[in-house]
Amino acid sequence: MATVENSRSVAGIVLAAGKGTRMKSAVPKVLHPIAGKPMLGWVLDAMRGSGIGASCLVLSEDLVGFDEFLAKDPDLAVALQINRQGTGDAVAAASYCFAETTPAPYAAGKAHRQRRGKPIDATHVLISAGDTPALDAGSLAGFIDACVDAGAQLGVLGMRVPDPRGYGRMILDGSKLRAIVEDRDADPSTRRIDVCNTGIIFGEKNLIFELIRELKPNNSQKEYYLTDCVKHAWQRGLPTHAHVSDKWQEFAGINDRAQLAAVEAVLVRRKIEAMMLSGVTVHLPDTVYVEDGVEVGPDSEIGPSVCLRGKTKIGAGARIGAGSVLDGVTVKAGEVVPPLSVRLEGK
């Protein structure tokens, strides 16, 4: 589990109970594959990559489709959000999976599965949505470090986006955070603010769950907003911190298939750039598709319009001809794959 100043441990909370109706799919939104991995898997891997070992996943009572995913991650705690009354209610549901934590009076949740049979024991939590698969582990770790360095009890990761419409706006006092105002509740002057909420919050575990208990559904949606915790912390005079990033694409959420495609392009490009930095030549990289589980050795060449899927492994010095499709296969070192080849696992 991640440690902060050696005496503090950080656990993750991933909110994934939304219906995802705009995906128009029988598949739960957070399980839609993106660059070869379920959307939710990207978020959890980013948390692990930042140093967080224990996480709680918040789902709805409708667990249809989740059995296989959860079976592959037995250490993941799972809480169920019964009423789905907003992000604050979702975190309140997560409290059932944490040690020495009293659920909010309005919370209608339960622990579906504890981590290794026991509640999570942590001093701090990092909260994120489950539909932001482009999260970067380094950015999350940097955010945690920034909050610790600022002495903040509660911190929020912000971003500057070209078009802030739809995002909650962050009301700043220098690097301190006074409040977050949701777009639908903002006045015209607040909507002109370009620093937006990513939905990623870090803070002391006991404080966050204490603030969660104070939330009221006094907003246009009649929901319990997690972001209202910032206002309550500020009113108490507690140290808050806003860490603002210009890498807004890392925090893009997915609500429909068009947004899924846009974020997948970011993840595929990230994978290809990592390959090129490791010594692989990729011709016309904007035409190439590579999934997360693919491995390519140094001095290999990947031609234009190539598609590499699944657990494909390409040895050093291999050449993959233009337009080829490789799915779950192994290419030997130095092998030449002719253009327009199709090689599929098991065939």
Side-chain angles (χ1 to χ4, degrees), residues 2 14 18 100 130 145 231 235 247 259 264-265 322 346-347:
V14 180
E100 300 179 358
D145 289 343
K231 175 181 63 179
Q235 290 171 347
K247 299 177 180 179
Q259 292 172 339
E264 184 170 56
K347 295 183 180 180

Side-chain angles (χ1 to χ4, degrees), residues 85 106 215-225 228:
Q85 293 180 288
Y106 57 82
L215 298 180
K216 305 292 182 184
N218 300 327
N219 50 70
S220 62
Q221 297 295 102
K222 304 301 180 185
E223 293 183 344
Y224 296 92
Y225 287 168
D228 283 347

